[in-house]
Every structure is written in structure tokens, then in C-alpha cells.
Amino acid sequence: GAVVSQHPSWVICKSGTSVKIECRSLDFQATTMFWYRQFPKQSLMLMATSNEGSKATYEQGVEKDKFLINHASLTLSTLTVTSAHPEDSSFYICSALPRKTLPEQYFGPGTRLTVT
Amino acid sequence: AQTVTQSQPEMSVQEAETVTLSCTYDTSENNYYLFWYKQPPSRQMILVIRQEAYKQQNATENRFSVNFQKAAKSFSLKISDSQLGDTAMYFCAFMNPKGAGNMLTFGGGTRLMVKP
């Protein structure tokens, strides 16, 4: 149990275009989902916290207009990178916090984004 | 704000031997959770072990155990009988359940190489 999926697992897009990444909790409901960014050989950096039915909370330095997060249901959160630039190329990971249990977060397998 | 420090960027160990990864943290909270996550080359984050701060007994999961020193704010991970599959990045993480969104604060990571 407690499986989180991400789609796509990797994506290549051109500069100026937008790309959407989906994060789904497959066998549990998640009131809260988190989006992280990870550069090569570095730790995970929290970008934003997403609560179902409300606006995401962004960490300092993360552009909310560039990284649009939507948590439309208890099993789905999406991250849209708008007007992508090469510097947005990174590994993006989501995690989900089950509604009834604390405190473990379950992580998706990540999405590798390359902007050309 | 909480901080988590992993002072060993890289470590290596011979197969079947024991290795200890260090982690220190800073917090003014009394009740919190600590975690060790493993990130193998696949980059899927895997929970290794969890410790509740109110529990004095050190957590153990098969070959993995922790040495939790609350007063010293230290949380080291011991891997016994190291296996080749233990080769991975290891991240120490802190969670304050009273904090906003139950977010995780990660350390910088330790790259562990298990040598045959």
C-alpha cells in the first residue's frame, strides 16, 4: 500500500512552452501533497505544499506564477511549469501525506524535466 | 527554523561490514519525528527508519538501527552487514508535527558506496 505515482517519468520540452506533471496517490487519500526539486547530487528542496481544495503554499524564492500547483482532489496534485527555461531543467519529486496517518510522507518516483 | 546537518558527504564500506552515518539537527521543539530516507540510483525515495522524539528506545528495522541522542540533537544511522544494494544516497530528515503542513526538512545527504 501507500503508492504514489508521477507522470510523466521524464519529459523534454522547448523553451517557452509549458509542461504539466501529475502526482497521484493510488491507494490512499492525501490531504497534503508536497513538491520538491532536486539538482544532481544535491538534497531535496521543498518548492510548495499543496492542500486539497485550497491554494498551495510556496517556499521563499519559488515563483508561484511559474510553478502552478493544483490539488483538485484527494488523490491528485499537478505541477505546471509555465514558460519553461533551460534553468528549470531538474528532477521534480512529489510526496503525499495520508489523511489518517502521520507522519510518513510517501514519495513518487520523480519526473526528470529537460528544457531545450 | 529547523536545520538538519549531515557532515559526511561521502562514505564507503566493505560488504558485510558495519557503517554509521551521522546526522545532527537543531530545533527548539520537544516533540518531533526524525527519519532516514534512502535514494538509490533509481532516485525513488525509500523510508528506511523513523524515530519519534518522545520515545527513548532507539528504532530498529532489520539491519538498520539508529542512535538517537535527544539532548545532543543527534540521530545517526547504523547499517549492519552492509549489502551491495545499500549503495545509495541517504538523507536524514526532520518533521515538526505542529509545524505548517507537516513538512520535512532534509539534510544535505550522504553518498554511501558499498564495496564488494
Side-chain angles (χ1 to χ4, degrees):
Chain A
V3 178
V4 176
S5 70
Q6 273 184 250
H7 179 79
S9 56
W10 60 271
V11 58
I12 301 173
C13 71
K14 293 187 176 180
S15 290
T17 62
S18 296
V19 61
K20 179 185 288 188
I21 302 170
E22 292 187 349
C23 176
R24 293 182 184 271
S25 55
L26 298 185
D27 50 3
F28 65 96
Q29 292 183 325
T31 52
T32 304
M33 288 184 171
F34 303 87
W35 287 95
Y36 298 87
R37 184 173 181 176
Q38 186 180 31
F39 291 105
K41 298 187 178 182
Q42 294 189 23
S43 188
L44 281 69
M45 182 189 76
L46 180 66
M47 299 175 66
T49 302
S50 164
N51 290 297
E52 185 263 340
S54 62
K55 289 184 178 180
T57 302
Y58 291 81
E59 295 301 301
Q60 192 172 9
V62 178
E63 299 176 59
K64 60 182 66 175
D65 293 332
K66 179 167 190 61
F67 298 100
L68 300 179
I69 291 172
N70 183 274
H71 194 155
S73 75
L74 285 171
T75 59
L76 173 65
S77 177
T78 60
L79 167 67
T80 301
V81 183
T82 63
S83 186
H85 289 141
E87 55 264 33
D88 298 326
S89 298
S90 189
F91 193 68
Y92 293 88
I93 305 174
C94 74
S95 70
L97 194 62
R99 184 205 295 222
K100 292 186 179 178
T101 63
L102 280 176
E104 290 178 26
Q105 292 183 23
Y106 296 95
F107 286 81
T111 297
R112 181 179 302 281
L113 170 64
T114 301
V115 184
T116 60
Chain B
Q2 290 84 14
T3 58
V4 179
T5 302
Q6 294 178 247
S7 58
Q8 307 149 314
E10 293 187 2
M11 293 191 72
S12 64
V13 63
Q14 291 295 132
E15 194 176 7
E17 307 240 315
T18 296
V19 63
T20 299
L21 280 56
S22 300
C23 173
T24 58
Y25 58 94
D26 186 27
T27 184
S28 58
E29 298 293 330
N30 188 52
N31 186 30
Y32 49 87
Y33 296 90
L34 295 163
F35 306 85
W36 278 98
Y37 281 91
K38 169 184 178 181
Q39 189 180 42
S42 67
R43 303 191 78 170
Q44 169 73 58
M45 293 287 284
I46 302 166
L47 177 65
V48 175
I49 203 164
R50 179 185 77 217
Q51 175 79 43
E52 293 92 336
Y54 62 85
K55 289 187 177 179
Q56 293 185 340
Q57 186 172 8
N58 289 324
T60 299
E61 286 288 341
N62 300 313
R63 298 182 294 106
F64 300 88
S65 61
V66 298
N67 183 4
F68 174 49
Q69 301 290 327
K70 191 173 184 179
K73 297 179 182 175
S74 170
F75 182 61
S76 61
L77 174 70
K78 185 171 81 171
I79 306 174
S80 304
D81 185 26
S82 298
Q83 301 176 0
L84 296 179
D86 296 333
T87 292
M89 280 290 290
Y90 287 82
F91 294 101
C92 177
F94 173 101
M95 177 193 282
N96 173 11
K98 292 192 303 182
N102 296 300
M103 57 179 279
L104 287 170
T105 301
F106 285 95
T110 296
R111 183 174 302 277
L112 176 67
M113 173 74 72
V114 179
K115 298 179 179 179

